[in-house]
Amino acid sequence: RVDLAESGGTSVYVGQSLTLSCANTYDPNNRYYWAWFRQAPGEKREAIAVIDDSGTPAYMESMKGRFTISRDGNMHTLYLQMNNLQPEDTAIYYCAAEPYLRFAGRNYYYRFDPSAYIYWGQGTQVTVSV
């Protein structure tokens, strides 16, 4: 079982930066992929970035450059640093987790598929205004 709780979402202006946090608890006997997704009104949930327990990140091509995923030293907080925010970034941002072994033998891109994840936080709203 994994418990996730996002925080840090707020209203900002175009060009500003914001860092979201995701506090998590997990089974220490398992390893996981940790991910950030977002969902804008009327849109599909889309992946932003994924990080594994070794600290190796992977980004959706469209997300490279302005978004950085990381974990703190105690491995119980996931972060998403967002820079130069634009109105199109307005969405509910979710963190998610999936046991690492469930990705074994799967396509590399499976980690960006929201259906691959079974543990989700409740989301935090980010609104970017001009």
Side-chain angles (χ1 to χ4, degrees):
R1 179 181 177 180
V2 178
D3 293 317
L4 303 159
E6 305 94 339
S7 63
T10 189
S11 296
V12 299
Y13 291 106
V14 168
Q16 292 187 313
S17 298
L18 186 66
T19 298
L20 305 180
S21 298
C22 176
N24 62 87
T25 60
Y26 56 90
D27 182 352
N29 295 314
N30 290 332
R31 300 184 68 188
Y32 303 88
Y33 277 139
W34 308 89
W36 283 100
F37 290 81
R38 70 183 185 185
Q39 187 166 16
E43 301 292 333
K44 295 180 179 179
R45 189 166 299 187
E46 64 176 350
I48 300 169
V50 180
I51 191 167
D52 62 24
D53 280 346
S54 71
T56 302
Y59 296 90
M60 285 286 289
E61 188 66 29
S62 61
M63 303 294 179
K64 291 181 178 179
R66 297 190 299 116
F67 295 82
T68 302
I69 189 171
S70 63
R71 300 191 67 184
D72 67 0
N74 63 20
M75 304 294 286
H76 284 91
T77 305
L78 180 70
Y79 299 100
L80 181 67
Q81 181 177 315
M82 304 182 290
N83 298 321
N84 192 25
L85 287 165
Q86 303 297 310
E88 64 193 38
D89 296 318
T90 295
I92 299 175
Y93 285 71
Y94 300 90
C95 56
E98 183 73 9
Y100 176 82
L101 290 177
R102 296 195 182 193
F103 290 88
R106 304 300 295 263
N107 189 291
Y108 171 85
Y109 300 98
Y110 186 60
R111 70 194 67 193
F112 300 116
D113 186 344
S115 69
Y117 295 81
I118 61 173
Y119 300 111
W120 294 86
Q122 292 300 304
T124 185
Q125 177 72 45
V126 174
T127 302
V128 185
S129 302
V130 297

